[in-house]
Amino acid sequence: MKTISILGATGSIGQSTIDLIARDPSRYDVVALTGGRNVEQLAKDAKALGADIAVTCYEDCFADLKALLAGSDIEVAAGSDAVIAAAQRPADWCMSAIVGSAGLAPGWAALTNGNTLALANKESLVTAGPILLAHAKAHGATILPVDSEHSAVFQALVGEDMASVERVIITASGGAFRDWPLEKLATATPSEAASHPNWDMGQRITIDSASMFNKAMELIETKEFFEVSPDKIEALIHPESLIHAMVGYCDGGIMAHVGPHDMRHAIGYALHWPDRADVPVERLDFAKIAQLNFKAPDLARYPALQIAQDVMRAGGLTGAVFNAAKEQALDGFIAGDIGFMDMAPVVAETLDKMSSHPGLQNAKFTLDDVLNVDQLSRIASGEIISARR
Ligand code: NDP
Ligand code: MG
């Protein structure tokens, strides 16, 4: 019996994880489920899976969650600290699928158990990559990638020596505006940006796909997780999104990972690792697919990719600035305060403004430094957004 916790259980990744676990309940013993405003779903899943505790990160949702779980023996808690405490409860396997930088501290807490952390929350690696890996190592914990591209790289590296890796290619669908005229992008709306051609994901990550801020995050994530130098990491537009990533080796051979558009493959790989087990995803029919296309990304359309290269080269806490500014810019776009093509300049200006912050590029920093820089960067980008209104 594997003990399991799911952080961000009510979200897109959390629900896909529950889908896999619910198919085979005799193998899993659920410890903690955490969510946010969607307390109906949280309560329903906590009951169905027999969780020990259900936690909402919002204190004002406590009464509703409590009422929904009245009569059950499931513990109920609320607030950010309660999410961290739940993450720290011993469990063999923990899914980190909270959205945004709020996912960092709970994932960090889960690692102190020396367990396996299935990491979907890419912000954890972008903001705190080196110290997160060191923290996992210090506690004898294992981090497994869940982001589809990183799961693909991880799988393409099995049995290989990192020293023979020449390049890592991360593919991108190109997002909702891949084929839009460049001049039309300035007037794109949040609902237009939130419709993805291939993947069904949360709203924020879908808009980040249209701007390629998601891909920018993933380039940084690749550098941090696999400890690959930035000049070996490339993004490639692949509209079919069937090859998720490729690893090129020094003998010219390239291992490509191919799979359907279904996050349950990457989640299932992390759930069963180091074994493989049956996962109910579509089996690809290559004769029907017939053709795969590729295109180099245009940096005028996707300025986030250039920013990612700069962030990777700067290192230290620059990733934390980048992520905070990106989240603020996205909030600004969703709220209608800035346009779609204003997001990259807001992030670039925030990086510029924060560049004088003492110790920003130091390789040694703490979790508190990350949280502090996150707050300061949000203030800086908030001011930049206000000035643009
Ligand atoms: P969703 O927005 O669908 O779900 C986010 C989850 O986090 C929900 O359970 C939500 O609760 C909860 N949550 C929101 N805010 C907070 C907070 N402040 N503190 C604690 N919990 C909170 O996100 P996704 O599932 O799409 O993404 C989760 C993570 O996985 C992200 O980092 C994303 O980049 C990454 N990822 C997602 C992929 C996908 O296909 N969706 C693919 C690869 C990576 P509630 O909804 O109840 O309010
Ligand atoms: Mg991805």
Side-chain angles (χ1 to χ4, degrees):
M1 196 78 136
K2 198 170 190 168
T3 51
I4 290 209
S5 289
I6 305 172
L7 314 175
T10 50
S12 166
I13 295 286
Q15 289 292 296
S16 294
T17 309
I18 288 174
D19 175 79
L20 293 182
I21 288 169
R23 285 165 193 268
D24 208 353
S26 62
R27 289 185 64 179
Y28 306 107
D29 181 6
V30 176
V31 178
L33 295 182
T34 82
R37 299 243 165 253
N38 193 351
V39 286
E40 283 82 12
Q41 189 66 48
L42 185 60
K44 186 169 161 238
D45 291 330
K47 278 187 197 161
L49 297 172
D52 297 344
I53 182 166
V55 186
T56 161
C57 66
Y58 300 111
E59 302 205 358
D60 59 335
C61 292
F62 177 78
D64 287 346
L65 184 60
K66 183 98 186 143
L68 286 159
L69 288 171
S72 76
D73 57 1
I74 300 166
E75 274 180 67
V76 178
S80 307
D81 289 344
V83 171
I84 294 173
Q88 210 152 6
R89 289 195 175 199
D92 302 322
W93 190 91
C94 178
M95 166 57 77
S96 166
I98 290 172
V99 68
S101 57
L104 173 59
W108 184 277
L111 286 167
T112 56
N113 286 313
N115 59 3
T116 297
L117 186 72
L119 188 62
N121 177 266
K122 56 190 76 184
E123 295 83 358
S124 295
L125 281 169
V126 171
T127 61
I131 61 167
L132 191 76
L133 297 192
H135 175 67
K137 201 170 166 193
H139 289 88
T142 303
I143 302 180
L144 295 175
V146 171
D147 208 347
S148 58
E149 295 77 1
H150 306 79
S151 174
V153 173
F154 191 76
Q155 294 180 50
L157 281 169
V158 171
E160 304 286 356
D161 180 356
M162 279 308 288
S164 59
V165 172
E166 213 168 54
R167 57 186 178 143
V168 178
I169 302 167
I170 300 293
T171 62
S173 68
F177 303 143
R178 182 181 63 215
D179 302 320
W180 276 38
L182 194 56
E183 58 283 2
K184 214 181 138 196
L185 293 186
T187 56
T189 66
S191 64
E192 286 167 334
S195 90
H196 197 280
N198 300 334
W199 297 87
D200 181 15
M201 307 185 287
Q203 182 208 33
R204 298 181 73 83
I205 189 171
T206 306
I207 299 177
D208 279 348
S209 294
S211 62
M212 277 227 205
F213 266 110
N214 181 48
K215 212 46 55 180
M217 297 280 283
E218 291 180 354
L219 296 178
I220 304 169
E221 204 185 347
T222 304
K223 178 209 156 206
E224 299 299 349
F225 189 82
F226 300 103
E227 299 177 280
V228 182
S229 92
D231 54 326
K232 291 185 176 176
I233 306 172
E234 303 164 32
L236 178 69
I237 294 190
H238 167 42
E240 294 83 6
S241 296
L242 292 173
I243 296 180
H244 303 304
M246 299 184 244
V247 179
Y249 292 94
C250 56
D251 58 1
I254 296 178
M255 301 294 288
H257 176 283
V258 191
H261 315 135
D262 190 330
M263 285 307 297
R264 291 177 305 170
H265 165 71
I267 296 167
Y269 186 79
L271 183 61
H272 301 296
W273 181 88
D275 302 326
R276 285 191 187 266
D278 189 34
V279 173
V281 297
E282 180 198 351
R283 272 40 175 178
L284 296 179
D285 178 339
F286 284 94
K288 257 195 204 153
I289 294 162
Q291 195 178 331
L292 297 178
N293 292 283
F294 304 96
K295 195 168 119 188
D298 168 9
L299 293 182
R301 184 178 291 268
Y302 303 114
L305 296 180
Q306 182 57 54
I307 300 177
Q309 282 294 338
D310 299 341
V311 170
M312 285 193 283
R313 290 195 162 80
L317 288 159
T318 316
V321 179
F322 171 78
N323 179 68
K326 186 224 81 159
E327 287 190 8
Q328 289 286 100
L330 180 58
D331 285 343
F333 172 60
I334 293 172
D337 294 337
I338 56 171
F340 182 76
M341 290 307 273
D342 293 325
M343 288 191 283
V346 164
V347 174
E349 280 176 45
T350 308
L351 282 161
D352 196 35
K353 203 165 172 181
M354 289 294 294
S355 63
S356 57
H357 182 78
L360 197 74
Q361 292 184 26
N362 286 354
K364 283 202 170 155
F365 54 90
T366 64
L367 188 60
D368 281 345
D369 292 334
V370 176
L371 302 175
N372 181 31
V373 158
D374 178 276
Q375 287 308 313
L376 292 174
S377 306
R378 282 173 200 275
I379 294 168
S381 40
E383 286 166 3
I384 291 165
I385 291 169
S386 298
R388 280 179 169 259
R389 264 193 208 133

